[in-house]
Amino acid sequence: FVINNSEVISTIINDLPYKLTNAQLRTWNEIEKDMSGSKVMNRLIQGDVGSGKTIVAFLSMYQAALCHYQSALMAPTEVLASQHYQGFTELSERYHLNLSIVLLTGSMRAGQKKEALRQIREHDIVIGTHAVIQEKVEFDDLALVITDEQHRFGVAQRDALSKKGHTPHVLVMSATPIPRSLAMILYGDLDISIMDELPAKRLPIKNCVVNISYRPKAWDFIIKQVQAGHQAYVICPMVEESETSQGADVVSYAEQLKEALPSYISIEYLHGKMKAKEKDDIMAHFAKNETQVLVSTTVIEVGINVPNATVILIEDAQRFG
């Protein structure tokens, strides 16, 4: 990229309703340097949930658009892809960036999909699930590909996205903490940016470990949070009851909660054995606060942005890393 528009990006950074952390600014500078260099970028952004990887991805995609190139972002679930689409569209409108953004997911109706495929050839930013790597998807000039929650995609899927362009810049994002030494073995061809700083105004997270006798109090706490308009996750190690293995299971636990909690609190459960469409629907209900308590296995770890969820209750915590 020939970059002569750093001021435009700086203006957006300065106008954001929050101040970027030093880790975000450092990562953005590394990306900008990569994208304007003589080599193709291959970079991993590693940062905890809430460290602000998404805004950095957006700035990268805007940078590509300013240089008259296309960019694509691939997310592991339809709900997450839709969230990125909404978030990026809002940013574009708020700052009058005039970006054309298109969403492509597997569950779209035939007519919607046909229209999206047509738009992909001429839009600045394409956001989607692995639907974006299908044969029918054709880009005009794809120069930047971003994979969100990259550990959910295989090497072949990431390569397939890259092959949609002519050796595009590559950015992969992960919230899964990997020690730098191991990351260098796993991703030897990638430069690594680590976002090790959370935004300044985030409230500290309070943790407590309790035994089973405390469970009614924990449920009362969830009720109070729901009454205050918030939501909660409950994580269980198992999907269904098992004769051979002890531990809370999602299906029975959800039933238990439905009996113990007031009827106005909507409770749903989620696990990896469900069909993708069903999982996406349940996550969408939770994102819209149609469900207040979501009982799930660790399948939720690659989830969605639900700022309204203020509690996570982990049953049989000794069963998790």
Side-chain angles (χ1 to χ4, degrees):
F1 290 8
V2 178
I3 293 179
N4 54 8
N5 38 42
S6 296
E7 287 174 20
V8 182
I9 302 276
S10 297
T11 304
I12 294 173
I13 290 172
N14 293 332
D15 285 351
L16 287 169
Y18 47 85
K19 193 170 181 287
L20 291 191
T21 63
N22 291 329
Q24 283 175 305
L25 290 169
R26 185 179 66 240
T27 301
W28 166 244
N29 289 333
E30 288 167 349
I31 290 169
E32 192 176 39
K33 194 174 168 189
D34 283 353
M35 284 168 67
S36 57
S38 55
K39 290 194 306 205
V40 172
M41 173 173 71
N42 263 317
R43 185 168 288 278
L44 164 69
I45 302 181
Q46 194 178 307
D48 205 352
V49 172
S51 61
K53 297 183 293 293
T54 307
I55 188 67
V56 174
F58 176 77
L59 293 173
S60 312
M61 296 175 98
Y62 182 48
Q63 182 70 273
L66 286 170
C67 297
H68 309 292
Y69 288 107
Q70 290 181 294
S71 54
L73 184 150
M74 183 164 66
T77 66
E78 295 205 357
V79 179
L80 196 55
S82 299
Q83 277 200 328
H84 283 318
Y85 174 74
Q86 285 162 358
F88 286 12
T89 303
E90 282 165 21
L91 281 166
S92 175
E93 287 169 359
R94 185 189 305 160
Y95 297 109
H96 310 293
L97 306 182
N98 204 23
L99 284 170
S100 52
I101 306 171
V102 62
L103 176 70
L104 179 70
T105 61
S107 68
M108 282 178 160
R109 292 193 298 276
Q112 291 175 310
K113 207 171 275 185
K114 192 177 176 186
E115 177 60 17
L117 289 169
R118 187 190 65 74
Q119 289 180 350
I120 284 171
R121 293 197 185 94
E122 55 201 37
H123 276 45
D124 300 317
I125 291 176
V126 178
I127 296 173
T129 53
H130 53 271
V132 297
I133 58 177
Q134 291 169 346
E135 273 180 46
K136 289 179 185 172
V137 178
E138 287 177 17
F139 291 85
D140 178 45
D141 207 343
L142 181 64
L144 170 66
V145 300
I146 302 178
T147 315
D148 192 13
E149 297 292 359
Q150 64 81 30
H151 62 281
R152 287 291 299 272
F153 296 102
V155 174
Q157 288 173 310
R158 293 202 301 271
D159 283 352
L161 181 56
S162 290
K163 283 180 179 139
K164 295 284 181 185
H166 304 289
T167 58
H169 291 301
V170 174
L171 200 56
V172 294
M173 305 196 292
S174 178
T176 304
I178 308 164
R180 186 179 274 275
S181 52
L182 179 58
M184 287 172 83
I185 295 165
L186 291 174
Y187 312 113
D189 57 336
L190 294 177
D191 295 309
I192 302 170
S193 293
I194 294 181
M195 286 197 190
D196 49 6
E197 220 177 320
L198 290 176
K201 288 187 180 172
R202 275 178 67 106
L203 295 170
I205 295 168
K206 292 177 185 172
N207 286 310
C208 60
V209 181
V210 292
N211 64 25
I212 292 169
S213 66
Y214 196 85
R215 192 180 276 151
K217 274 191 182 174
W219 289 355
D220 280 343
F221 183 69
I222 288 174
I223 293 168
K224 286 191 176 73
Q225 287 294 308
V226 172
Q227 286 169 342
H230 298 303
Q231 291 162 274
Y233 291 101
V234 177
I235 306 300
C236 299
M238 292 161 61
V239 173
E240 291 171 300
E241 238 178 319
S242 163
E243 288 177 13
T244 55
S245 186
Q246 292 297 305
D249 71 280
V250 165
V251 179
S252 312
Y253 202 99
E255 288 308 312
Q256 249 183 303
L257 275 183
K258 282 175 185 173
E259 285 177 25
L261 270 50
S263 58
Y264 61 81
I265 296 177
S266 171
I267 299 161
E268 284 195 292
Y269 64 80
L270 182 71
H271 54 73
K273 290 183 178 177
M274 291 174 161
K275 289 191 170 72
K277 172 85 172 73
E278 194 179 358
K279 280 192 283 196
D280 275 346
D281 286 348
I282 289 165
M283 284 161 81
H285 297 160
F286 195 62
K288 292 177 193 162
N289 198 3
E290 290 167 3
T291 301
Q292 285 76 52
V293 179
L294 184 58
V295 184
S296 175
T297 57
T298 54
V299 70
I300 200 68
E301 71 171 348
V302 179
I304 40 175
N305 182 21
V306 186
N308 195 44
T310 52
V311 189
I312 180 163
L313 171 62
I314 301 173
E315 286 284 349
D316 295 306
Q318 76 281 359
R319 300 278 296 269
F320 302 101

